[in-house]
Amino acid sequence: MADLIAKLPCDGLLPLSIGKATLVEVVPVALTSVSPLKGAEKDLSKAMTKAHGVGFPGPNNSNGDDAVRAIWFGRAHALLIGPAPDSALVKHAALTDQTDAWAVVCLDGDAAESVLARLAPVDLRHSVFGLGQTVRSQLGHMTASITRVGENAFQIMVFRSMAKTLVHDLKTAMVAVDARG
Amino acid sequence: MRLPCPICGERDRREFYYKGAALERPAPDAGEAAWDDYVYLRENPAGDTRELWYHDGGCGAWLVVTRNTLTHAVIGAELASEAKA
Ligand SMILES: [Zn+2]
């Protein structure tokens, strides 16, 4: 068999620091898509809380912190970020390993909101999009998951195959926001 | 134009994909005329119309959106899985 070389999605592209914003790659231990079986959302949430300390998140919300985070990821769909899923979840949900399928970056800094305002058709200002809130929306032409993970910090996820476009679009917006002063 | 996704909230039109009129699917044995109507024949209403939209740039749900073709008002949206045709 060929000697394969492991490579991160944003290999050679990050980190970036432009003006009042920084962009770094986030490398989660595991990403698991969690979809509750019909009618099992409450039991799943209990099992997740017991095993990982985070319940199943409601629409546009996330639970947890940088170590373990469950973010709402769509209709009847969440993403567990951090540890590999406990086997107790299998009874209540369909689980799919997504660890290498997504490019995950963190945009941080005073200019982060302004940078995202140029790319996403949703209001991500702090007054309406607080810590822990999340959206499935678009970033440029890509479908994306955006979560506020800090006062001025956003976790942004797109399909791994779009990593280069993600960094290009964010970099262009960071340069433009910085040029405005 | 914005559409009120019952799951995500009010969202920009660019997050959605348009499918077409929300129709009641005939039974498999409904006969040729009913199926011809379902597959090929469409109303062109001046007023309220019900259409299927897919929230592909959002939560991934299919919606039945009611909007008015005269005023362009978006009247409401419900999950297609829960909507009555
Ligand atoms: Zn939606």
Side-chain angles (χ1 to χ4, degrees):
Chain A
M1 191 182 152
D3 196 13
L4 301 176
I5 303 161
K7 215 173 149 188
L8 294 173
C10 299
D11 186 73
L13 303 171
L14 295 177
L16 279 178
S17 182
I18 300 168
K20 288 177 182 152
T22 59
L23 188 64
V24 297
E25 180 160 26
V26 179
V27 186
V29 179
L31 294 176
T32 309
S33 135
V34 183
S35 288
L37 303 178
K38 228 173 199 165
E41 195 177 308
K42 274 190 185 144
D43 290 337
L44 170 65
S45 196
K46 270 188 215 156
M48 283 173 68
T49 305
K50 197 173 163 208
H52 300 296
V54 290
F56 190 83
N60 300 330
N61 267 303
S62 70
N63 296 318
D65 53 28
D66 287 348
V68 189
R69 184 172 274 127
I71 61 174
W72 179 81
F73 218 52
R75 180 178 173 237
H77 192 183
L79 194 74
L80 181 65
I81 305 175
D86 191 273
S87 58
L89 307 190
V90 174
K91 220 172 102 189
H92 313 292
L95 306 175
T96 316
D97 180 17
Q98 305 263 334
T99 307
D100 293 319
W102 294 84
V104 189
V105 300
C106 184
L107 177 68
D108 198 353
D110 289 348
E113 273 183 19
S114 304
V115 169
L116 285 175
R118 288 174 177 249
L119 296 167
V122 280
D123 191 349
L124 299 176
R125 288 173 302 165
H126 204 291
S127 51
V128 289
F129 191 77
L131 189 63
Q133 282 190 268
T134 191
V135 279
R136 287 305 303 263
S137 184
Q138 291 176 323
L139 195 98
H141 293 135
M142 300 169 286
T143 58
S145 159
I146 304 171
T147 309
R148 188 185 284 272
V149 294
E151 278 309 299
N152 293 314
F154 297 88
Q155 176 189 272
I156 304 162
M157 303 178 64
V158 301
F159 297 135
R160 183 193 176 113
S161 59
M162 299 173 184
K164 218 168 175 175
T165 308
L166 171 72
V167 173
H168 175 262
D169 284 0
L170 283 169
K171 186 178 176 183
T172 306
M174 288 161 82
V175 168
V177 167
D178 186 42
R180 300 279 296 187
Chain B
M1 178 175 171
R2 292 180 191 167
L3 297 177
C5 174
I7 296 176
C8 302
E10 197 174 70
R11 291 298 185 85
D12 192 278
R13 190 206 58 82
R14 85 189 82 159
E15 290 187 4
F16 298 85
Y17 170 83
Y18 176 74
K19 170 74 162 56
L23 302 169
E24 192 170 2
R25 190 185 173 93
D29 58 358
E32 209 172 281
W35 275 95
D36 182 60
D37 190 40
Y38 174 72
V39 175
Y40 296 112
L41 304 181
R42 293 291 178 271
E43 302 293 336
N44 185 19
D48 285 1
T49 178
R50 298 173 80 247
E51 298 162 325
L52 287 167
W53 293 75
Y54 178 48
H55 200 184
D56 66 326
C59 64
W62 279 97
L63 310 180
V64 174
V65 175
T66 306
R67 66 183 185 93
N68 190 297
T69 55
L70 287 178
T71 64
H72 302 302
V74 175
I75 294 145
E78 54 188 331
L79 293 177
S81 60
E82 291 169 5
K84 298 260 184 321

